Each structure stands twice: as structure tokens, then as C-alpha cells.
Amino acid sequence: MYDTIIIGAGPAGLYAATLAGMHKLKACLLESSFEYGGTLNLYKQKMVYDMPGYRKINAGDLIATLFDQYSEYAEDVPLRLNTKAISIDYVDDHYVLESNQGVFLTKTILLANGGGTFEPRLLEVPEADSKSNIYYNVKDVHDFEGQELIVLGGGDSAVDWSLTLAEVAKKVTLIHRRNDFRAHEYSVDKIKQVGRVLTPYAPKGFIGYDKVDYLTIQNTEDNSIMDVPCDALFVFYGSSPAKHNLSEWGFELDDKGLIKVKSNMETTRAGIFAVGNSVTYHGKKKMISTGLGEAATAISTIGAFLYPEKTQSYKH
């Protein structure tokens, strides 16, 4: 019988497993894929600029750092890859978690799976799926050295990738359909200094046969047309969650399918907690650092709930 089972080995899950080890909880970490790191694996070379303690760190190194910290407790909190949670049922005084690798018994559960697997939002322009130089992730930035690149999007991923690619590219043009960006203001100001930013423009078509030689964009205010040359086109419109069975697990969800949680990160099912991009509450900010803080709150709550005698009190 486990004290807690952590579902999802992304940043929040790895940190939760580390904290579970620190709290000496009997726990295990389940990950449905064949590797830990979560969605950070989609952009290992992209720089992350808002991680406490780092001026900047690429996503791959961040995964490695979090895993190295967790490895101190890996023997006590084992990681089980390729283990997908299928259902959870409350029986007597504990939960029965069924997975594709067997059944687990646990007193509590911590969801840190980011809402499940995600797929990139595709560029909805005719013939986009036939162009060989349209990308939705970057495996190696050095593949694009000395090239003219276009990045589409207005969030942190688009802006951060623009900054990362600008370090090797001949020229980077960031195009966004609105004048306002969702990304950090500092990062937007920085890409304006080292690259070219075009707003408010929406992609309309391509010039080129099997690849994009020019991207045709249209101003969303005055309808003017512009053709922008490129050697490679990157689309960072965010991700869409794949179908997930959260609604079948009995949680209260909002209209976007996110799990509603209390201030201690407990869901509407007693003893089940959730952190990271799968949860919602007033003022919620989707950042890696936010998820790490939520993991700390959840593990501390679980520890105090299961072992109240361990909670120290200080008298003056």
C-alpha cells in the first residue's frame, strides 16, 4: 500500500517525487510514455527564461537537473515508465489504481500529468501539410544555422524559440496575428532587438512548390499583403490536449476541461490532488515554476494528512 502515487513524470511530477522522498513517504511515480520530462521533451533545445535560479536554461538541461535531484530518492520513490493510469476507484479506505501494467493500492493520489498528452495546433493554411520545411518542434537548432527563419505565434514558446533560433540563424522574423503578446514582456522586447517582429499579421498562403520559399501574410487591420522569404517556417500556436478520461474519474472540471482544486491542491475527490497545467483556480498561471510550487503544497498537505504526528509545532 502506497502513501501516494504520483501520475506524470514531467517537471512537477519529478519535483513531487523528490519531495515525497524528502518527506519519507512510501510513493511511486508513474509515467505513461517511455521517457520522463513531459512536454519539455518536445523542445529540448529551447531556452527557458523564467526558471528561478537560472538566467536561462534549455529545456533538456532542465529535465536533466530535475531528474538528477530526484535520483537521490529514486530507490524509495521508483519511476515506472510506460505505465498509464486507466481508472481509479475508492475501496474501503484507499484507492485502487488500475494501469496497463497492473493494479496499485494507495492512500492518496497526486495528478501531475499536465492534463494528458498534447499535440501541436496545426497551421490551418491550404497545402500546409505538404510543405517540407514547416516545423512544429525543433530537434537541433544547428540544422538552421545561417538561414532566414519565420516563427508564428504570440506565446512564450514562440518568443523563446525565436530568441533561441536567433543565436544561430541569419535572420528570424516573428509573426503574430495580434499586436499584444501572451509571452513575457521582457522576452518580447528582446526579440524586437535581435530579430524582426511583424504584427498584426495572419498567414494566408505560400509561394513555393514542395517547400515554403515565401510566406504570404495579411495585415488583420488594413488587409495589406506581404510576402516574407524563409528557409524554414516554425509554428508555435500551442498544444491541444488529446482525449483524456479525466471526466470519467469524477473530478469537477471547468468549461475547458481543467480540474478545479482547492488552495491545498486537493480536487473535489478527497485524497486526490492535482498540480500543473491540468488544474485551474483563481489567478492560476501556467508556468513551470508555478507547477513546482503547487507540487510542494500538495506533498506537504499529503504528508501532514497521513502523518499528523510528524508535523512539528514551535512554541515561543
Side-chain angles (χ1 to χ4, degrees):
M1 174 79 70
Y2 287 103
D3 290 328
T4 192
I5 291 179
I6 302 164
I7 301 176
L14 286 171
Y15 188 53
T18 297
L19 295 173
M22 289 182 173
H23 283 258
K24 295 186 177 181
L25 297 176
K26 184 180 180 181
C28 71
L29 177 59
L30 309 184
E31 170 55 49
S32 61
S33 71
F34 290 92
E35 59 182 345
Y36 54 83
T39 55
L40 289 183
N41 288 307
L42 299 176
Y43 45 88
K44 286 186 176 180
Q45 293 193 3
K46 184 178 81 68
M47 290 297 174
V48 178
Y49 295 91
D50 55 5
M51 178 56 54
Y54 296 94
R55 180 179 177 185
K56 64 178 180 179
I57 182 172
N58 69 43
D61 288 343
L62 180 55
I63 294 172
T65 299
L66 289 166
F67 186 80
D68 180 65
Q69 183 185 35
Y70 154 75
S71 64
E72 179 78 13
Y73 307 95
E75 185 174 339
D76 298 321
V77 186
L79 168 61
R80 300 176 182 271
L81 297 174
N82 191 31
T83 305
K84 181 180 180 180
I86 298 173
S87 65
I88 49 176
D89 294 295
Y90 192 73
V91 179
D92 295 329
D93 59 349
H94 63 275
Y95 282 99
V96 177
L97 188 154
E98 181 184 355
S99 78
N100 62 329
Q101 300 290 350
V103 174
F104 299 85
L105 305 182
T106 181
K107 299 172 185 175
T108 65
I109 293 173
L110 173 55
L111 293 172
N113 62 343
T117 57
F118 284 76
E119 300 172 348
R121 290 193 176 96
L122 303 181
L123 178 60
E124 296 182 354
V125 174
E127 300 182 358
D129 57 349
S130 67
K131 303 302 181 183
S132 61
N133 61 339
I134 295 180
Y135 303 89
Y136 295 91
N137 57 63
V138 183
K139 293 184 178 179
D140 190 341
V141 295
H142 298 290
D143 292 340
F144 306 97
E145 287 186 9
Q147 297 186 16
E148 292 193 30
L149 310 176
I150 293 177
V151 177
L152 299 178
D156 287 316
S157 183
V159 175
D160 289 350
W161 264 123
S162 296
L163 290 170
T164 301
L165 291 166
E167 296 181 5
V168 300
K170 176 181 178 181
K171 183 178 183 179
V172 171
T173 300
L174 175 63
I175 301 172
H176 184 38
R177 65 181 67 245
R178 289 182 286 274
N179 289 314
D180 297 327
F181 287 81
R182 301 186 307 279
H184 293 300
E185 186 177 354
Y186 175 84
S187 300
V188 175
D189 290 341
K190 191 171 183 179
I191 191 58
K192 288 180 179 179
Q193 296 172 5
V194 301
R196 181 189 187 192
V197 177
L198 296 176
T199 62
Y201 283 93
K204 288 297 179 182
F206 313 110
I207 298 176
Y209 181 62
D210 60 343
K211 67 184 187 70
V212 180
D213 295 319
Y214 292 85
L215 175 67
T216 300
I217 58 177
Q218 184 176 37
N219 190 289
T220 60
E221 294 178 347
D222 61 21
N223 295 322
S224 59
I225 297 293
M226 181 187 304
D227 294 325
V228 184
C230 76
D231 296 304
L233 171 63
F234 300 90
V235 182
F236 296 114
Y237 285 160
S239 302
S240 300
K243 185 177 180 181
H244 200 275
N245 58 349
L246 288 177
S247 60
E248 300 174 4
W249 286 7
F251 305 122
E252 184 179 352
L253 309 177
D254 72 355
D255 56 0
K256 296 181 180 179
L258 298 174
I259 304 171
K260 294 183 179 181
V261 294
K262 304 173 185 176
S263 59
N264 65 355
M265 309 313 299
E266 189 174 25
T267 70
T268 49
R269 293 192 68 175
I272 301 183
F273 299 76
V275 301
N277 287 348
S278 66
V279 309
T280 184
Y281 51 82
H282 181 69
K284 165 72 177 181
K285 179 69 174 177
K286 288 189 176 182
M287 296 171 60
I288 297 173
S289 54
T290 303
L292 301 185
E294 293 167 352
T297 297
I299 291 295
S300 294
T301 303
I302 290 171
F305 170 72
L306 295 178
Y307 302 103
E309 69 279 4
K310 291 184 178 181
T311 304
Q312 297 181 358
S313 61
Y314 297 90
K315 297 181 179 180
H316 298 280

